Amino acid sequence: MDIASWLRRLGLEQYEQAFRENAVDAEVLSDLTEADLRQLGICSDIASGFSRQSRN
C-alpha cells in the first residue's frame, strides 16, 4: 500500500510529511496505536479513525 495515496484518498494529505519523516509504511501503520499517531501530531479523533482504517 502506498501510504501517501491512502492519506490523499482519506483527505488527510497534511499528514504525509509526518508519516514520511517517521518512516511509517503499510507494515508499520498496522502496528501503530492511537497514542503513537498522536505523537506524530495527529489529533485523537483522526487517530482513532486511522487505527480502524489501517486494520481494514
Side-chain angles (χ1 to χ4, degrees), residues 20-36:
R20 194 175 327 107
E21 288 173 355
N22 290 280
V24 175
D25 60 15
E27 184 177 331
V28 172
L29 180 61
S30 65
D31 293 331
L32 293 178
T33 65
E34 287 182 44
D36 295 329

Side-chain angles (χ1 to χ4, degrees), residues 13 22 33-34 40 43 49 51 56:
E13 57 276 348
N22 290 280
T33 65
E34 287 182 44
L40 291 175
C43 73
S51 294
N56 292 332

